[in-house]
Amino acid sequence: MANGEVAIGESSTRPLLPKEETPLLENSSKSCLPKTFANFFIAIVGAGVLGLPYTFMRTGWITGVVTLFSVAALTYHGMMLLIDTRKRLDLSLIGDSKISSFGDLGFVVCGPIGRFAVDVMIVLSQSGFCIGYLIFIGNTLSHLISLSKGFDIPLFSSAKSLYIWGCLPFQLGLTAIPSLTLLAPLSIFADVAQIGAMGVVMVEDVQTFTNQWPSDIEAFGTLSTFFYGLGVALYSFEGVGMAIPLESEMKDKSKYGKILALSMFWIALMYGTFGVMGYFAFGSSTKDIVTSNMGKGLLSTIVKLGLCINLFFTFPLMLNPAFEVFERRFSDGNYSVWMRWILVLGVTMVALLVPNFADFMSLVGSSTCCVLGFVLPALFHYQVFKGDMDRKGAFFDLGLIALGVFFGVSGTWYSLVEMFSQGKIV
Protein backbone atom coordinates (compact mmCIF):
# COMPACT_ATOMS: atom_id res chain seq x y z
CA MET A 1 0.00 0.00 0.00
CA ALA A 2 1.35 3.41 -0.98
CA ASN A 3 2.45 5.82 1.71
CA GLY A 4 -0.32 8.30 2.61
CA GLU A 5 -3.16 6.06 1.38
CA VAL A 6 -5.52 3.55 3.00
CA ALA A 7 -7.73 1.03 1.29
CA ILE A 8 -11.49 1.45 1.15
CA GLY A 9 -13.24 -1.76 0.25
CA GLU A 10 -11.24 -3.77 -2.21
CA SER A 11 -10.26 -1.45 -5.00
CA SER A 12 -10.56 2.25 -4.09
CA THR A 13 -8.10 4.39 -2.20
CA ARG A 14 -8.39 7.81 -0.62
CA PRO A 15 -5.46 10.08 0.16
CA LEU A 16 -4.64 10.95 3.72
CA LEU A 17 -2.66 14.07 4.47
CA PRO A 18 0.93 13.02 5.23
CA LYS A 19 2.15 13.85 8.69
CA GLU A 20 4.91 16.07 7.39
CA GLU A 21 2.45 18.11 5.29
CA THR A 22 1.40 20.31 8.16
CA PRO A 23 -0.72 23.42 7.54
CA LEU A 24 0.84 26.86 7.63
CA LEU A 25 -1.62 28.02 10.28
CA GLU A 26 -3.59 26.05 12.84
CA ASN A 27 -6.67 27.31 14.67
CA SER A 28 -8.08 25.76 17.82
CA SER A 29 -10.76 28.30 18.78
CA LYS A 30 -14.07 29.03 17.09
CA SER A 31 -14.90 32.57 16.06
CA CYS A 32 -18.16 34.47 16.22
CA LEU A 33 -19.22 36.65 13.29
CA PRO A 34 -17.70 39.96 14.55
CA LYS A 35 -14.40 38.22 15.31
CA THR A 36 -14.38 36.62 11.86
CA PHE A 37 -15.00 40.02 10.26
CA ALA A 38 -12.10 41.45 12.30
CA ASN A 39 -9.87 38.52 11.30
CA PHE A 40 -10.61 39.14 7.63
CA PHE A 41 -9.77 42.79 8.06
CA ILE A 42 -6.45 42.01 9.78
CA ALA A 43 -5.57 39.34 7.21
CA ILE A 44 -6.26 41.50 4.15
CA VAL A 45 -5.43 45.10 5.06
CA GLY A 46 -1.71 45.83 4.90
CA ALA A 47 0.84 48.47 4.03
CA GLY A 48 -0.23 48.37 0.38
CA VAL A 49 -2.98 50.89 1.06
CA LEU A 50 -0.34 53.62 1.53
CA GLY A 51 0.65 53.34 -2.14
CA LEU A 52 -2.89 53.65 -3.53
CA PRO A 53 -2.97 57.46 -3.98
CA TYR A 54 0.20 57.28 -6.10
CA THR A 55 -1.31 54.39 -8.04
CA PHE A 56 -4.47 56.41 -8.73
CA MET A 57 -2.26 59.22 -9.98
CA ARG A 58 -0.71 56.77 -12.46
CA THR A 59 -3.92 55.02 -13.55
CA GLY A 60 -6.49 57.80 -13.20
CA TRP A 61 -8.89 57.80 -10.28
CA ILE A 62 -11.87 56.19 -12.07
CA THR A 63 -9.69 53.43 -13.51
CA GLY A 64 -8.16 52.90 -10.05
CA VAL A 65 -11.51 52.61 -8.28
CA VAL A 66 -12.99 50.26 -10.89
CA THR A 67 -9.84 48.09 -10.78
CA LEU A 68 -9.95 47.91 -6.98
CA PHE A 69 -13.56 46.76 -6.82
CA SER A 70 -13.06 44.31 -9.71
CA VAL A 71 -10.06 42.74 -7.97
CA ALA A 72 -12.04 42.59 -4.70
CA ALA A 73 -14.86 40.73 -6.47
CA LEU A 74 -12.52 38.30 -8.24
CA THR A 75 -10.55 37.70 -5.03
CA TYR A 76 -13.80 36.96 -3.20
CA HIS A 77 -14.75 34.50 -5.95
CA GLY A 78 -11.35 32.81 -5.75
CA MET A 79 -11.59 32.44 -1.97
CA MET A 80 -15.06 30.91 -2.25
CA LEU A 81 -13.74 28.46 -4.87
CA LEU A 82 -11.17 27.32 -2.30
CA ILE A 83 -13.90 26.80 0.32
CA ASP A 84 -16.15 24.86 -2.08
CA THR A 85 -13.23 22.66 -3.13
CA ARG A 86 -12.23 21.99 0.48
CA LYS A 87 -15.80 21.00 1.41
CA ARG A 88 -16.00 18.50 -1.45
CA LEU A 89 -12.61 16.97 -0.63
CA ASP A 90 -13.27 16.78 3.12
CA LEU A 91 -16.17 14.44 2.39
CA SER A 92 -13.76 12.01 0.72
CA LEU A 93 -11.06 12.07 3.38
CA ILE A 94 -11.00 9.49 6.14
CA GLY A 95 -11.09 10.02 9.88
CA ASP A 96 -9.56 13.22 11.25
CA SER A 97 -7.58 14.05 8.12
CA LYS A 98 -9.01 17.41 7.20
CA ILE A 99 -7.76 20.17 4.92
CA SER A 100 -6.55 23.07 7.07
CA SER A 101 -4.62 25.26 4.65
CA PHE A 102 -4.14 26.29 1.03
CA GLY A 103 -1.12 24.01 0.82
CA ASP A 104 -3.10 21.01 2.12
CA LEU A 105 -5.67 21.63 -0.59
CA GLY A 106 -3.01 21.77 -3.28
CA PHE A 107 -1.53 18.49 -2.04
CA VAL A 108 -4.83 16.62 -2.06
CA VAL A 109 -5.83 17.90 -5.50
CA CYS A 110 -2.52 17.71 -7.38
CA GLY A 111 -0.18 15.83 -5.06
CA PRO A 112 3.34 17.14 -4.34
CA ILE A 113 3.21 19.41 -7.39
CA GLY A 114 0.15 21.19 -6.01
CA ARG A 115 1.77 21.64 -2.62
CA PHE A 116 4.96 22.86 -4.27
CA ALA A 117 3.10 25.43 -6.39
CA VAL A 118 1.34 26.85 -3.34
CA ASP A 119 4.55 26.84 -1.29
CA VAL A 120 6.49 28.73 -3.97
CA MET A 121 3.80 31.39 -4.31
CA ILE A 122 3.50 31.78 -0.54
CA VAL A 123 7.26 32.21 -0.13
CA LEU A 124 7.42 34.75 -2.96
CA SER A 125 4.38 36.71 -1.82
CA GLN A 126 5.27 36.80 1.87
CA SER A 127 8.86 37.74 1.04
CA GLY A 128 7.52 40.42 -1.31
CA PHE A 129 5.38 41.93 1.45
CA CYS A 130 8.41 42.07 3.76
CA ILE A 131 10.55 43.64 1.05
CA GLY A 132 7.87 46.30 0.72
CA TYR A 133 8.02 46.89 4.48
CA LEU A 134 11.77 47.48 4.37
CA ILE A 135 11.45 49.83 1.39
CA PHE A 136 8.80 51.79 3.27
CA ILE A 137 10.91 51.97 6.44
CA GLY A 138 14.07 52.99 4.56
CA ASN A 139 12.39 55.66 2.46
CA THR A 140 10.35 57.08 5.35
CA LEU A 141 13.25 57.29 7.80
CA SER A 142 15.51 58.84 5.16
CA HIS A 143 12.96 61.65 4.76
CA LEU A 144 12.44 62.04 8.50
CA ILE A 145 16.04 61.86 9.67
CA SER A 146 18.36 62.99 6.92
CA LEU A 147 21.85 61.58 6.87
CA SER A 148 24.55 63.59 5.13
CA LYS A 149 25.41 60.73 2.79
CA GLY A 150 26.12 57.05 2.68
CA PHE A 151 29.35 55.34 1.80
CA ASP A 152 30.94 55.06 -1.62
CA ILE A 153 30.18 51.35 -1.63
CA PRO A 154 27.43 49.63 -3.66
CA LEU A 155 24.31 48.94 -1.54
CA PHE A 156 25.57 51.39 1.13
CA SER A 157 25.53 54.61 -0.89
CA SER A 158 22.19 56.13 0.23
CA ALA A 159 20.54 57.02 3.52
CA LYS A 160 17.74 54.59 2.68
CA SER A 161 20.22 51.71 2.32
CA LEU A 162 21.84 52.51 5.67
CA TYR A 163 18.48 52.43 7.44
CA ILE A 164 17.61 49.09 5.85
CA TRP A 165 20.98 47.65 6.84
CA GLY A 166 20.35 48.99 10.35
CA CYS A 167 17.18 46.89 10.56
CA LEU A 168 19.01 43.68 9.63
CA PRO A 169 20.62 42.70 12.98
CA PHE A 170 17.36 43.34 14.86
CA GLN A 171 15.36 41.33 12.34
CA LEU A 172 17.84 38.48 12.60
CA GLY A 173 17.19 38.47 16.34
CA LEU A 174 13.39 38.65 16.02
CA THR A 175 13.17 35.96 13.36
CA ALA A 176 15.41 33.67 15.43
CA ILE A 177 12.60 33.36 18.01
CA PRO A 178 11.15 29.85 17.46
CA SER A 179 7.67 30.88 18.64
CA LEU A 180 6.20 34.25 17.70
CA THR A 181 3.37 34.11 20.25
CA LEU A 182 4.72 37.09 22.17
CA LEU A 183 4.93 39.14 18.96
CA ALA A 184 1.44 38.27 17.72
CA PRO A 185 -0.36 41.10 19.59
CA LEU A 186 1.88 43.56 17.74
CA SER A 187 0.20 42.53 14.49
CA ILE A 188 -3.18 43.66 15.78
CA PHE A 189 -1.60 46.80 17.21
CA ALA A 190 -0.06 47.47 13.80
CA ASP A 191 -3.46 47.30 12.11
CA VAL A 192 -5.05 49.60 14.68
CA ALA A 193 -2.18 52.07 14.32
CA GLN A 194 -2.41 51.87 10.53
CA ILE A 195 -6.11 52.71 10.60
CA GLY A 196 -5.33 55.65 12.87
CA ALA A 197 -2.60 56.79 10.50
CA MET A 198 -4.95 56.50 7.54
CA GLY A 199 -7.46 58.64 9.41
CA VAL A 200 -4.84 61.33 10.05
CA VAL A 201 -3.72 61.27 6.41
CA MET A 202 -7.31 61.54 5.17
CA VAL A 203 -7.99 64.54 7.43
CA GLU A 204 -4.93 66.28 6.02
CA ASP A 205 -6.03 65.31 2.51
CA VAL A 206 -9.39 67.02 3.05
CA GLN A 207 -7.74 70.14 4.41
CA THR A 208 -5.35 70.24 1.47
CA PHE A 209 -7.79 69.88 -1.42
CA THR A 210 -10.42 72.12 0.17
CA ASN A 211 -7.84 74.93 0.33
CA GLN A 212 -6.61 74.45 -3.23
CA TRP A 213 -8.10 71.93 -5.65
CA PRO A 214 -5.39 70.46 -7.92
CA SER A 215 -5.89 71.21 -11.61
CA ASP A 216 -4.10 68.09 -12.90
CA ILE A 217 -6.52 65.35 -11.82
CA GLU A 218 -6.88 62.56 -14.41
CA ALA A 219 -9.77 60.08 -14.53
CA PHE A 220 -8.24 57.51 -16.89
CA GLY A 221 -4.78 56.29 -17.81
CA THR A 222 -3.22 54.09 -20.48
CA LEU A 223 -3.10 50.32 -20.94
CA SER A 224 0.31 50.08 -19.26
CA THR A 225 -0.86 52.10 -16.25
CA PHE A 226 -3.93 49.84 -15.99
CA PHE A 227 -1.70 46.79 -15.57
CA TYR A 228 0.37 48.76 -13.08
CA GLY A 229 -2.75 49.55 -11.03
CA LEU A 230 -3.93 45.96 -11.32
CA GLY A 231 -0.72 44.72 -9.69
CA VAL A 232 -1.04 47.18 -6.80
CA ALA A 233 -4.70 46.21 -6.28
CA LEU A 234 -3.76 42.52 -6.18
CA TYR A 235 -1.02 43.29 -3.66
CA SER A 236 -3.48 45.22 -1.50
CA PHE A 237 -5.83 42.22 -1.15
CA GLU A 238 -3.18 39.96 0.32
CA GLY A 239 -5.22 37.52 2.46
CA VAL A 240 -6.15 34.72 0.02
CA GLY A 241 -4.06 32.16 1.90
CA MET A 242 -6.17 32.78 5.01
CA ALA A 243 -9.49 31.78 3.38
CA ILE A 244 -9.48 28.16 4.54
CA PRO A 245 -8.06 28.71 8.07
CA LEU A 246 -10.56 31.49 8.80
CA GLU A 247 -13.49 29.42 7.52
CA SER A 248 -12.33 26.46 9.59
CA GLU A 249 -12.46 28.42 12.83
CA MET A 250 -15.96 29.89 12.33
CA LYS A 251 -18.77 28.76 14.59
CA ASP A 252 -21.47 29.27 11.94
CA LYS A 253 -19.81 28.30 8.67
CA SER A 254 -23.02 28.83 6.69
CA LYS A 255 -22.52 32.60 6.98
CA TYR A 256 -18.93 32.58 5.83
CA GLY A 257 -19.73 33.76 2.31
CA LYS A 258 -21.80 36.72 3.54
CA ILE A 259 -19.16 37.81 6.05
CA LEU A 260 -16.42 37.50 3.44
CA ALA A 261 -18.42 39.49 0.88
CA LEU A 262 -19.18 42.22 3.44
CA SER A 263 -15.52 42.38 4.48
CA MET A 264 -14.27 42.64 0.90
CA PHE A 265 -16.80 45.37 0.08
CA TRP A 266 -15.92 47.54 3.07
CA ILE A 267 -12.19 47.08 2.56
CA ALA A 268 -12.50 47.98 -1.14
CA LEU A 269 -14.59 51.03 -0.19
CA MET A 270 -11.99 52.10 2.37
CA TYR A 271 -9.16 51.56 -0.12
CA GLY A 272 -10.95 53.50 -2.85
CA THR A 273 -11.79 56.41 -0.55
CA PHE A 274 -8.23 56.61 0.75
CA GLY A 275 -6.72 56.44 -2.73
CA VAL A 276 -9.06 59.04 -4.24
CA MET A 277 -8.68 61.51 -1.37
CA GLY A 278 -4.90 61.22 -1.39
CA TYR A 279 -4.74 61.79 -5.15
CA PHE A 280 -7.22 64.67 -5.05
CA ALA A 281 -5.15 66.33 -2.32
CA PHE A 282 -1.78 66.27 -4.06
CA GLY A 283 -2.48 65.67 -7.75
CA SER A 284 0.58 64.96 -9.88
CA SER A 285 2.80 65.63 -6.84
CA THR A 286 1.55 62.49 -5.07
CA LYS A 287 4.50 60.40 -3.91
CA ASP A 288 4.80 56.61 -3.93
CA ILE A 289 4.18 56.56 -0.15
CA VAL A 290 1.46 59.11 0.54
CA THR A 291 2.75 59.88 4.04
CA SER A 292 5.77 61.46 2.32
CA ASN A 293 3.41 64.20 1.13
CA MET A 294 2.60 65.19 4.69
CA GLY A 295 4.28 68.19 6.26
CA LYS A 296 7.03 68.11 8.87
CA GLY A 297 4.92 68.79 11.96
CA LEU A 298 4.89 66.74 15.14
CA LEU A 299 1.74 64.81 14.22
CA SER A 300 3.17 63.90 10.82
CA THR A 301 6.39 62.68 12.41
CA ILE A 302 4.50 60.56 14.96
CA VAL A 303 2.38 58.96 12.23
CA LYS A 304 5.40 58.09 10.08
CA LEU A 305 7.46 56.73 12.98
CA GLY A 306 4.47 54.75 14.23
CA LEU A 307 4.02 53.10 10.84
CA CYS A 308 7.73 52.29 10.63
CA ILE A 309 7.71 50.71 14.11
CA ASN A 310 4.59 48.68 13.34
CA LEU A 311 5.94 47.37 10.04
CA PHE A 312 9.25 46.59 11.71
CA PHE A 313 7.56 44.28 14.22
CA THR A 314 5.12 42.88 11.66
CA PHE A 315 8.07 41.79 9.49
CA PRO A 316 8.87 38.53 11.38
CA LEU A 317 5.18 37.61 11.58
CA MET A 318 4.67 38.11 7.86
CA LEU A 319 7.78 36.10 6.99
CA ASN A 320 6.90 33.22 9.32
CA PRO A 321 4.85 31.23 6.71
CA ALA A 322 7.90 31.31 4.42
CA PHE A 323 10.07 30.03 7.29
CA GLU A 324 7.66 27.14 7.84
CA VAL A 325 7.75 26.21 4.16
CA PHE A 326 11.56 26.17 4.08
CA GLU A 327 11.88 24.27 7.36
CA ARG A 328 9.29 21.68 6.33
CA ARG A 329 10.98 21.06 3.01
CA PHE A 330 14.67 21.33 3.90
CA SER A 331 14.85 20.65 7.63
CA ASP A 332 12.20 17.93 8.18
CA GLY A 333 9.98 20.49 9.86
CA ASN A 334 12.60 21.30 12.48
CA TYR A 335 13.54 24.83 13.52
CA SER A 336 16.59 26.11 11.59
CA VAL A 337 17.97 29.51 12.54
CA TRP A 338 20.53 29.69 9.74
CA MET A 339 17.84 29.00 7.13
CA ARG A 340 15.76 31.84 8.54
CA TRP A 341 18.73 34.18 8.53
CA ILE A 342 19.54 33.41 4.89
CA LEU A 343 15.96 34.25 3.91
CA VAL A 344 16.03 37.51 5.91
CA LEU A 345 19.33 38.47 4.26
CA GLY A 346 17.89 37.74 0.81
CA VAL A 347 14.83 39.88 1.51
CA THR A 348 17.07 42.71 2.70
CA MET A 349 19.25 42.58 -0.42
CA VAL A 350 16.23 42.85 -2.73
CA ALA A 351 14.84 45.76 -0.70
CA LEU A 352 18.13 47.62 -1.25
CA LEU A 353 17.80 47.27 -5.03
CA VAL A 354 14.23 48.54 -5.42
CA PRO A 355 13.76 52.05 -4.04
CA ASN A 356 10.15 52.66 -5.14
CA PHE A 357 7.48 51.22 -2.84
CA ALA A 358 4.48 51.36 -5.19
CA ASP A 359 6.43 49.99 -8.18
CA PHE A 360 7.48 46.96 -6.17
CA MET A 361 3.89 46.47 -4.94
CA SER A 362 2.76 46.26 -8.57
CA LEU A 363 5.43 43.68 -9.40
CA VAL A 364 4.63 41.44 -6.42
CA GLY A 365 0.88 41.72 -7.01
CA SER A 366 1.14 40.78 -10.68
CA SER A 367 3.70 38.01 -10.33
CA THR A 368 2.52 36.16 -7.21
CA CYS A 369 -0.81 37.42 -5.86
CA CYS A 370 -2.45 36.90 -9.25
CA VAL A 371 -1.50 33.22 -9.16
CA LEU A 372 -2.57 32.75 -5.53
CA GLY A 373 -5.83 34.67 -5.91
CA PHE A 374 -7.05 33.59 -9.35
CA VAL A 375 -5.12 30.80 -11.07
CA LEU A 376 -4.64 28.20 -8.33
CA PRO A 377 -8.15 28.45 -6.76
CA ALA A 378 -9.82 28.08 -10.18
CA LEU A 379 -7.43 25.27 -11.19
CA PHE A 380 -8.02 23.26 -8.01
CA HIS A 381 -11.78 23.80 -8.25
CA TYR A 382 -11.84 22.65 -11.88
CA GLN A 383 -9.77 19.55 -11.13
CA VAL A 384 -12.15 18.46 -8.37
CA PHE A 385 -15.50 19.33 -9.98
CA LYS A 386 -14.84 18.74 -13.69
CA GLY A 387 -16.51 15.31 -13.59
CA ASP A 388 -19.95 16.75 -12.81
CA MET A 389 -19.53 20.35 -13.96
CA ASP A 390 -21.68 21.87 -16.72
CA ARG A 391 -20.25 23.98 -19.53
CA LYS A 392 -21.00 27.23 -17.73
CA GLY A 393 -19.08 26.17 -14.62
CA ALA A 394 -16.15 24.93 -16.69
CA PHE A 395 -16.15 28.18 -18.67
CA PHE A 396 -15.93 30.28 -15.50
CA ASP A 397 -13.12 28.19 -14.01
CA LEU A 398 -11.07 27.99 -17.20
CA GLY A 399 -11.80 31.66 -17.92
CA LEU A 400 -10.50 32.71 -14.50
CA ILE A 401 -7.35 30.62 -15.04
CA ALA A 402 -6.76 32.25 -18.43
CA LEU A 403 -7.54 35.71 -17.05
CA GLY A 404 -5.15 35.16 -14.14
CA VAL A 405 -2.34 34.00 -16.41
CA PHE A 406 -2.89 36.91 -18.81
CA PHE A 407 -3.01 39.51 -16.04
CA GLY A 408 -0.04 37.94 -14.27
CA VAL A 409 2.22 37.84 -17.33
CA SER A 410 1.15 41.26 -18.66
CA GLY A 411 1.32 42.95 -15.27
CA THR A 412 4.72 41.48 -14.46
CA TRP A 413 6.06 42.53 -17.85
CA TYR A 414 4.80 46.11 -17.59
CA SER A 415 6.06 46.41 -14.00
CA LEU A 416 9.56 45.25 -14.95
CA VAL A 417 9.66 47.49 -18.03
CA GLU A 418 8.60 50.45 -15.91
CA MET A 419 11.19 49.79 -13.22
CA PHE A 420 14.10 49.24 -15.62
CA SER A 421 13.20 51.97 -18.13
CA GLN A 422 13.18 54.66 -15.45
CA GLY A 423 16.29 53.43 -13.73
CA LYS A 424 14.42 52.30 -10.62
CA ILE A 425 16.55 49.22 -10.18
CA VAL A 426 19.75 50.37 -8.52
Side-chain angles (χ1 to χ4, degrees):
M1 187 180 300
N3 183 29
E5 295 183 346
V6 294
I8 301 178
E10 295 181 357
S11 59
S12 62
T13 60
R14 297 292 185 185
L16 288 176
L17 302 184
K19 183 177 179 180
E20 66 272 17
E21 300 293 339
T22 55
L24 297 179
L25 179 66
E26 297 179 355
N27 296 286
S28 57
S29 60
K30 298 298 181 181
S31 299
C32 59
L33 296 183
K35 182 180 177 182
T36 302
F37 181 89
N39 286 339
F40 275 128
F41 191 88
I42 292 171
I44 293 174
V45 176
V49 66
L50 300 173
L52 287 176
Y54 175 82
T55 302
F56 283 16
M57 181 198 73
R58 298 284 303 277
T59 65
W61 69 273
I62 292 180
T63 302
V65 170
V66 172
T67 302
L68 266 180
F69 276 89
S70 299
V71 168
L74 289 173
T75 301
Y76 165 80
H77 179 65
M79 294 171 83
M80 292 306 299
L81 289 180
L82 291 177
I83 299 304
D84 291 342
T85 307
R86 183 198 63 78
K87 288 179 179 178
R88 168 66 70 88
L89 291 173
D90 272 351
L91 296 175
S92 65
L93 293 174
I94 297 175
D96 295 328
S97 297
K98 298 297 181 182
I99 296 170
S100 302
S101 72
F102 201 165
D104 286 343
L105 184 66
F107 179 80
V108 175
V109 175
C110 298
I113 294 178
R115 166 71 82 172
F116 178 77
V118 174
D119 282 352
V120 168
M121 289 298 108
I122 285 177
V123 169
L124 291 177
S125 62
Q126 298 303 120
S127 299
F129 299 145
C130 292
I131 290 167
Y133 292 172
L134 292 178
I135 295 171
F136 177 92
I137 291 171
N139 285 345
T140 300
L141 291 181
S142 63
H143 285 107
L144 278 179
I145 310 171
S146 298
L147 299 178
S148 57
K149 62 177 181 178
F151 302 101
D152 294 328
I153 305 174
L155 303 181
F156 288 87
S157 59
S158 66
K160 170 225 171 190
S161 63
L162 295 182
Y163 282 118
I164 291 178
W165 279 118
C167 292
L168 179 61
F170 298 100
Q171 290 300 343
L172 293 177
L174 289 174
T175 54
I177 300 173
S179 174
L180 295 177
T181 303
L182 295 177
L183 293 176
L186 292 173
S187 179
I188 300 176
F189 173 74
D191 281 284
V192 172
Q194 180 167 299
I195 295 172
M198 288 172 60
V200 173
V201 173
M202 291 174 72
V203 169
E204 182 162 322
D205 290 345
V206 172
Q207 294 175 346
T208 301
F209 68 69
T210 51
N211 292 332
Q212 183 177 359
W213 187 271
S215 59
D216 51 359
I217 300 297
E218 298 289 343
F220 302 98
T222 64
L223 180 63
S224 62
T225 60
F226 163 74
F227 284 112
Y228 180 92
L230 177 69
V232 174
L234 287 164
Y235 181 104
S236 300
F237 292 96
E238 59 188 53
V240 175
M242 295 298 294
I244 293 176
L246 289 178
E247 193 268 349
S248 299
E249 72 170 11
M250 279 192 70
K251 289 181 180 179
D252 187 356
K253 293 181 173 57
S254 63
K255 296 182 179 179
Y256 177 86
K258 293 181 179 179
I259 293 296
L260 176 59
L262 183 64
S263 303
M264 297 297 284
F265 172 78
W266 281 109
I267 291 171
L269 183 63
M270 180 188 69
Y271 279 176
T273 303
F274 185 81
V276 168
M277 292 179 66
Y279 176 37
F280 281 9
F282 305 107
S284 60
S285 299
T286 306
K287 297 182 180 179
D288 63 318
I289 304 172
V290 72
T291 51
S292 299
N293 285 106
M294 299 177 67
K296 295 186 177 181
L298 177 61
L299 182 60
S300 172
T301 301
I302 292 174
V303 168
K304 295 174 184 178
L305 285 176
L307 286 170
C308 288
I309 292 171
N310 293 328
L311 294 181
F312 178 87
F313 284 108
T314 305
F315 182 98
L317 294 168
M318 188 62 70
L319 206 53
N320 198 56
F323 293 153
E324 293 185 355
V325 168
F326 270 80
E327 289 170 349
R328 185 178 63 244
R329 288 192 169 273
F330 303 112
S331 187
D332 296 325
N334 298 316
Y335 168 80
S336 175
V337 65
W338 66 265
M339 198 174 296
R340 294 184 174 210
W341 284 358
I342 289 176
L343 187 56
V344 172
L345 180 60
V347 165
T348 300
M349 295 295 290
V350 176
L352 291 165
L353 298 174
V354 185
N356 190 285
F357 178 67
D359 287 348
F360 188 76
M361 282 170 45
S362 179
L363 177 62
V364 174
S366 298
S367 60
T368 63
C369 299
C370 204
V371 177
L372 281 173
F374 301 163
V375 177
L376 292 181
L379 176 62
F380 294 161
H381 186 268
Y382 178 76
Q383 286 292 107
V384 171
F385 286 91
K386 63 181 178 181
D388 53 1
M389 183 183 292
D390 58 18
R391 290 185 178 181
K392 182 179 179 181
F395 172 80
F396 279 114
D397 277 355
L398 295 176
L400 186 57
I401 294 172
L403 190 67
V405 171
F406 174 73
F407 281 163
V409 172
S410 301
T412 301
W413 171 259
Y414 277 109
S415 295
L416 289 173
V417 168
E418 176 71 16
M419 295 168 71
F420 279 101
S421 65
Q422 298 188 18
K424 293 177 180 177
I425 301 292
V426 296

